[in-house]
Amino acid sequence: MTAGGQVSRYLALFALLFGAVAAKADPLPSWNETETKASIIEFVESVTDSEADTFVPQEDRVAVFDNDGTLWAEKPVYFQFMFAMDRLKAMAKDDPSVLSSDVLKAAAEGDMGAVAQSGEKGLLEIIATTHSNLPVDAFQAEAGDWLTTATHPETGMLYTEMIYQPMLELLRYLRDEGFTTYIVSGGGVHFIRAFSEDAYNIPANQVVGTTGKSHYEVVDGEPVVMKDPGIAFIDDKEGKPVAIDAHIGKRPIFAGGNSDGDFQMLEWTTAGEGPRMAVIVHHTDAEREWAYDRESHVGRLERGLDEAGERDWLLIDMARDWERVWPRNP
Amino acid sequence: MTAGGQVSRYLALFALLFGAVAAKADPLPSWNETETKASIIEFVESVTDSEADTFVPQEDRVAVFDNDGTLWAEKPVYFQFMFAMDRLKAMAKDDPSVLSSDVLKAAAEGDMGAVAQSGEKGLLEIIATTHSNLPVDAFQAEAGDWLTTATHPETGMLYTEMIYQPMLELLRYLRDEGFTTYIVSGGGVHFIRAFSEDAYNIPANQVVGTTGKSHYEVVDGEPVVMKDPGIAFIDDKEGKPVAIDAHIGKRPIFAGGNSDGDFQMLEWTTAGEGPRMAVIVHHTDAEREWAYDRESHVGRLERGLDEAGERDWLLIDMARDWERVWPRNP
């Protein structure tokens, strides 16, 4: 055998080994080897195998995900609300007259008990005050700045460090397999867009969320889209399928959520013909994250827990199924 | 020289010739060689040349187009309204009690004069009656069926044959150069989605339009998104930049329109930083299409005509700039 022939044989052997390794590359390395992970991979393989009856063409591989509690944490309250409180304090520093009601005063003082007692009306007042009367661009820049500095009161991490590593891998895996991944969130669309591209690789046009009122005007010759007080559309519960129809125009084949606010989105997704998958992130991990479901005031999960079995929805047991939670361990 | 060598030389020559032809392939063959065509190509080349100051990364190459009068014809009235009239007649055949008002009776009899006299209120009543109380899927199937059989009262062509060949080429050219092409129309989003993919290669999630009210419900165990009477959002004039923000989340760098309903969309697009282009289809061709602008009740173009020059917006003179109008000459 010539030296050249031997090199060729080594190269062939190398290619064989490398091919075997590549074929086994784990798309979900932060997931434990449980039934959950196997089910997800089985589903993705079934819809991408062009020889199978279950094959779904690439343009129909639409996947939708809730955000709060599904892609990132939501305790003690939605992070967008933490932003609203911080922005209210900053606004009051510049102009104390902005605190024109008791609930706004309580919020600026960090009196969460009083804020909680004010109920939905109080929350909407805080959001209206802190999310309006500025152009969309300026609002998103402020939210983006806040996210680079503000830290979580319990973990001390940046909020964007509190996205779930296993879900990041799931998003990437789906995209690698020809899915288009959307966020369909009860959170505000402009707030989410301030970080969705960097954090999740999900561009602005694939973020569907609750929308505030807004209007177009020309200010000193410069056209702007201005955020107004008040809600135009609440993207929660029955609103999620309506928003999916309006924005995406196709029924998803994969949906991920974590609370009863996602119930109708999962129901809408899985009632379609052909292969469908719905997953629910079940917060079972008091040690690494939080453990909550039926009794929680954020991310309440009751009907979803009761009906997941009969509906063939997959419960992701965070404590059991996730090898790690955060991208960087704290 | 061997025979093989000669073949090689011919192949090389062929590659050279073919390469030269390919390099010169005309992206806009149905456009006459006017300044208009040159300006469009110059713009596209300027934003796609990675060496140039004017380069725009692919993810920011967002192009938005009005539909009626910009991508397809709109005379004598919006084609969606022709559909509504036909659907009303069909509904009345099944159940005459649907004609519950004078304007609905007039519409079903084809009395366009009486319909026109009823004004916007009458039009909205006809749309509400014919565009509601059925699931979105069923509505889109009906609209799709209608488009395969209904013909235009003057040209005898199918409505989908009355899309503009030069604009089809422009859409494809932009996509070939890394743009994402959106429709942003005053027409109904569900009506446009019934044909946008087939006609324009624009998928449902890239269609932004006027939206009717709708709700989610479970009917006999089957979840549906039902179309309701009434308008949720009018995607016209100041509404267009608001809808672009809500749906796309980025300011376009290219906008095409034809009427003053598109003015704010063009204004919003071209006021951004960096290279921007706005084009207006000016209907100047009474022979092959229609000639209208300031006085027309559909597609009225007045402010756009007056200000196009000072704003550096490109007027497409249909008679002068388009070598052909329709994909198939009638």
Side-chain angles (χ1 to χ4, degrees), chain A residues 136-137 182 190 193 204-205 214-216 218 222-225 238 241-242 245-249 251 264 267-268 271, chain B residues 136-137 182 190 193 204-205 214-216 218 222-225 238 241-242 245-249 251 264 267-268 271:
Chain A
V136 169
D137 292 354
Y182 288 86
H190 293 138
R193 284 177 179 164
N205 65 314
S214 66
H215 76 276
Y216 176 81
V218 180
E222 279 296 311
V224 287
V225 176
E238 291 84 0
V242 169
D245 169 66
H247 194 104
I248 306 176
R251 199 192 291 228
Q264 287 80 4
E267 179 181 57
W268 172 242
Chain B
V136 168
D137 292 354
Y182 288 86
H190 294 137
R193 283 176 179 164
N205 65 314
S214 65
H215 75 276
Y216 176 81
V218 180
E222 279 296 313
V224 287
V225 176
E238 291 85 1
V242 170
D245 169 67
H247 194 104
I248 305 175
R251 200 191 290 226
Q264 287 81 2
E267 179 181 57
W268 172 241

Side-chain angles (χ1 to χ4, degrees), chain B:
Chain B
M1 184 181 278
T2 65
Q6 210 157 6
V7 168
S8 292
R9 282 194 52 194
Y10 280 123
L11 282 176
L13 188 67
F14 180 77
L16 199 74
L17 284 169
F18 181 78
V21 169
K24 275 176 117 181
D26 184 349
L28 302 172
S30 300
W31 293 66
N32 290 322
E33 299 300 330
T34 62
E35 193 57 41
T36 306
K37 175 174 177 173
S39 297
I40 292 172
I41 292 176
E42 190 188 344
F43 173 78
V44 172
E45 289 180 347
S46 76
V47 299
T48 54
D49 175 0
S50 60
E51 305 290 305
D53 288 349
T54 48
F55 178 73
V56 175
Q58 193 160 326
E59 64 268 26
D60 294 328
R61 291 182 211 152
V62 173
V64 288
F65 288 87
D66 171 58
N67 184 45
D68 295 306
T70 299
L71 297 182
W72 75 354
E74 61 183 349
K75 288 279 187 178
V77 293
Y78 301 127
F79 297 170
Q80 185 177 356
F81 189 69
M82 306 297 281
F83 164 69
M85 301 274 282
D86 282 352
R87 179 156 155 74
L88 185 64
K89 280 176 214 159
M91 288 169 75
K93 222 178 191 175
D94 287 349
D95 174 13
S97 77
V98 80
L99 304 177
S100 57
S101 74
D102 288 346
V103 67
L104 292 175
K105 278 176 200 139
E109 283 162 15
D111 182 349
M112 293 298 285
V115 170
Q117 254 191 336
S118 73
E120 195 183 314
K121 192 168 162 285
L123 294 184
L124 285 177
E125 190 176 342
I126 294 166
I127 293 289
T129 305
T130 54
H131 285 55
S132 68
N133 299 319
L134 78 173
V136 168
D137 292 354
F139 174 83
Q140 290 191 182
E142 286 214 25
D145 285 348
W146 180 80
L147 286 164
T148 62
T149 54
T151 52
H152 190 276
E154 294 176 39
T155 67
M157 293 196 281
L158 293 174
Y159 291 102
T160 48
E161 291 175 331
M162 295 181 69
I163 60 181
Y164 303 131
Q165 176 63 23
M167 296 305 281
L168 279 184
E169 293 168 6
L170 176 56
L171 288 172
R172 190 177 51 208
Y173 175 42
L174 291 171
R175 286 191 296 261
D176 285 350
E177 297 295 333
F179 282 75
T180 306
T181 53
Y182 288 86
I183 290 172
V184 178
S185 169
V189 69
H190 294 137
F191 181 75
I192 301 169
R193 283 176 179 164
F195 66 98
S196 63
E197 180 115 42
D198 284 348
Y200 306 127
N201 248 308
I202 294 183
N205 65 314
Q206 286 158 21
V207 178
V208 183
T210 290
T211 45
K213 290 180 181 165
S214 65
H215 75 276
Y216 176 81
E217 69 173 295
V218 180
V219 183
D220 299 331
E222 279 296 313
V224 287
V225 176
M226 289 289 288
K227 286 177 74 66
D228 295 326
I231 301 288
F233 183 84
I234 297 183
D235 187 28
D236 198 31
K237 300 191 176 72
E238 291 85 1
K240 290 202 175 193
V242 170
I244 289 169
D245 169 67
H247 194 104
I248 305 175
K250 264 183 189 173
R251 200 191 290 226
I253 67 164
F254 189 106
N258 77 298
S259 80
D260 283 350
D262 305 313
F263 190 92
Q264 287 81 2
M265 175 167 80
L266 271 54
E267 179 181 57
W268 172 241
T269 298
T270 53
E273 280 174 27
R276 309 272 160 170
M277 176 165 250
V279 302
I280 294 176
V281 175
H282 189 194
H283 294 264
T284 52
D285 196 331
E287 229 165 89
R288 297 181 300 177
E289 207 242 7
W290 286 271
Y292 59 98
D293 45 43
R294 295 173 191 276
E295 308 294 329
S296 180
H297 71 287
V298 279
R300 182 163 166 273
L301 177 67
E302 187 156 35
R303 192 175 168 201
L305 267 189
D306 290 338
E307 300 188 20
E310 70 200 60
R311 288 176 181 270
D312 214 12
W313 295 350
L314 190 65
L315 282 170
I316 296 169
D317 181 330
M318 192 182 275
R320 180 197 62 194
D321 292 328
W322 288 0
E323 192 266 323
R324 69 190 296 172
V325 174
W326 316 116
R328 301 196 306 148
N329 280 323

Side-chain angles (χ1 to χ4, degrees), chain A residues 13-58:
Chain A
L13 188 66
F14 181 77
L16 199 74
L17 285 169
F18 182 79
V21 170
K24 275 175 119 180
D26 185 348
L28 302 172
S30 300
W31 294 66
N32 289 322
E33 298 300 329
T34 62
E35 193 56 44
T36 306
K37 175 174 177 172
S39 297
I40 292 172
I41 292 175
E42 191 187 344
F43 173 79
V44 172
E45 288 180 347
S46 76
V47 300
T48 54
D49 174 0
S50 60
E51 305 289 304
D53 288 349
T54 47
F55 178 73
V56 176
Q58 194 161 325

